[in-house]
Amino acid sequence: MSRDKMVGIKDIADRCGVSPTTVSNVLNNKNNVGRQTRDRILEAARELGYVPKRAEETIHKRKKNTVAINFSDFDAQFYFDVLHGISDYAVKKDFNLLICTKENFSKYADSDSICGCIIMDWSTDDATILKIADKGIPMVTLDRQMPHKLIKNMVTGNYESERTLVEKLVDSDFRSFAFLGGIDSDDNRERYRAFRDVLKENDISFNRNLLYEGDWTEKSGAAAARLIMLQPKMPEVLVCANDLMAIGAIRKFQENGIRVPEDISVCGFDDVIMSKYLGLTTVSVPNYERGYLAMQALADIIDGTGNFDNFKIGARVKWRKSIKSVT
């Protein structure tokens, strides 16, 4: 069933082999249906992405000029370019923007003045997002996979671009690696998976003692660098899941007289502004374009011309001086 076709009671009835009346009774919380049948119907409704008719109609009744942006102040620097892209398209199409952090997102997104949402904050829990979508508010998520009838997922090509980076390192005869990951998320898992896949495919062993956990911040990058410096033998290259952690590691290495890239190479992911000035090799994510396309997609959905198909944003490696002897 296509994502842009609303699921109805008959679809659920066909899936469960019951009558539409039985499905209606369950969805309206009537007590005349057995527990096993009730559970089966509710599970089918969830899997099919059923939106109650009153919620579906809400999309068309809401004011069509204000979009809520679920913004993370935890990693504000990373999202500024995304916000710039969102704002440019919103102004072009006469939309107002309401910027909400995790703490007040639920309150404002549930307002009758909101006609859609863009989800940027990875720390906002899935249940909160799904609850709002169930009320008929269309959404676009960035770097988050959420199957729902009213949610369009826009993801970065994390796996493909990280593979390109690590494959080039291997081709340049690097054989000793450390990996610094961020907080558990789709981004982090995909980047680490690509890293491990390339090493495995090239028969390069990976010492689990050189797998470090950060939280996307410079401080956690510095902490990982301190641990690396305690190793009997430092790795040839530190692969970081984002730029801020890589920058923190580089600064800590340099404070202790360890040269980058002569003594250890370092790379990141995202291409934040500071990366260019520090000469950090990284994967460049087109954040302005991501924001612009996210707002464009949401505007099209609100206007009835868009769809909820997933969309993947490409990213490319930028080679700079923090990596030694790349051929």
Side-chain angles (χ1 to χ4, degrees):
M1 184 174 296
S2 64
R3 291 193 59 165
D4 54 354
K5 179 181 183 299
M6 290 292 182
V7 172
I9 287 176
K10 186 176 184 303
D11 297 310
I12 301 172
D14 291 344
R15 167 72 72 90
C16 297
V18 298
S19 70
T21 300
T22 300
V23 174
S24 178
N25 287 337
V26 170
L27 296 178
N28 285 287
N29 294 317
K30 294 185 179 180
N31 297 320
N32 57 350
V33 180
R35 181 174 180 178
Q36 187 174 6
T37 301
R38 175 182 296 272
D39 290 345
R40 191 167 80 252
I41 289 171
L42 291 175
E43 176 66 15
R46 185 188 66 79
E47 290 178 352
L48 291 171
Y50 172 73
V51 180
K53 187 67 176 176
R54 60 183 178 275
E56 179 182 336
E57 292 170 347
T58 301
I59 295 177
H60 305 292
K61 292 179 180 179
R62 289 179 180 272
K63 297 178 182 179
K64 296 181 179 292
N65 68 336
T66 303
V67 170
I69 310 298
N70 176 220
F71 176 74
S72 172
D73 54 1
F74 176 81
D75 197 4
Q77 178 184 351
F78 174 72
Y79 285 119
F80 283 154
D81 283 344
V82 181
L83 281 174
H84 187 187
I86 291 172
S87 178
D88 279 358
Y89 194 84
V91 169
K92 179 179 178 180
K93 294 297 183 178
D94 199 27
F95 280 92
N96 297 319
L97 299 180
L98 180 61
I99 309 298
C100 311
T101 57
K102 176 183 177 181
E103 288 70 23
N104 56 26
F105 172 63
S106 295
K107 176 177 69 174
Y108 288 116
D110 202 20
S111 166
D112 287 339
S113 65
I114 299 301
C115 60
C117 300
I118 295 177
I119 309 298
M120 299 166 61
D121 185 3
W122 52 265
S123 67
T124 299
D125 62 275
D126 289 358
T128 297
I129 296 170
L130 292 171
K131 180 181 178 181
I132 294 170
D134 283 343
K135 294 182 178 181
I137 304 176
M139 298 185 177
V140 174
T141 66
L142 296 181
D143 293 329
R144 191 171 191 154
Q145 293 277 14
M146 297 194 68
H148 190 281
K149 210 68 177 175
L150 295 180
I151 296 178
K152 182 181 184 75
N153 302 298
M154 297 187 70
V155 298
T156 301
N158 289 290
Y159 182 85
E160 298 86 350
S161 52
E162 187 77 343
R163 273 197 69 100
T164 299
L165 172 63
V166 181
E167 285 172 345
K168 187 68 172 180
L169 294 174
V170 170
D171 290 343
S172 299
D173 292 329
F174 286 100
R175 291 296 180 270
S176 174
F177 292 83
F179 187 90
L180 172 56
I183 293 174
D184 186 42
S185 64
D186 289 345
D187 287 350
N188 191 65
R189 286 189 291 271
E190 286 296 283
R191 293 168 195 178
Y192 180 61
R193 183 168 70 90
F195 169 80
R196 289 306 309 270
D197 284 353
V198 173
L199 296 193
K200 183 176 180 180
E201 291 164 11
N202 288 275
D203 296 320
I204 298 174
S205 61
F206 179 63
N207 184 348
R208 295 282 297 184
N209 291 330
L210 294 175
L211 173 62
Y212 301 95
E213 295 182 1
D215 61 6
W216 302 123
T217 65
E218 285 191 40
K219 183 177 179 180
S220 66
R226 285 195 293 269
L227 294 174
I228 289 173
M229 289 186 290
L230 295 176
Q231 292 287 336
K233 183 179 180 181
M234 290 209 309
E236 296 172 322
V237 58
L238 170 62
V239 178
C240 301
N242 84 334
D243 284 354
L244 292 182
M245 294 189 297
I247 290 168
I250 289 174
R251 287 175 169 164
K252 182 56 63 176
F253 287 140
Q254 292 174 339
E255 286 174 9
N256 288 270
I258 295 175
R259 300 167 300 166
V260 176
E262 291 84 359
D263 300 321
I264 184 171
S265 293
V266 180
C267 57
F269 201 111
D270 291 331
D271 199 21
V272 298
I273 294 174
M274 187 60 65
S275 299
K276 179 179 179 181
Y277 298 105
L278 292 179
L280 176 66
T281 290
T282 184
V283 174
S284 180
V285 179
N287 283 320
Y288 173 87
E289 290 79 5
R290 284 206 302 160
Y292 192 93
L293 290 171
M295 186 63 224
Q296 182 181 53
L298 184 59
D300 288 345
I301 289 169
I302 293 168
D303 290 340
T305 59
N307 61 62
F308 290 93
D309 296 338
N310 290 348
F311 187 86
K312 181 172 285 189
I313 302 288
R316 62 189 181 88
V317 180
K318 287 195 174 180
W319 296 99
R320 299 188 179 118
K321 65 181 183 181
S322 67
I323 298 291
K324 179 177 64 175
S325 303
V326 173
T327 57

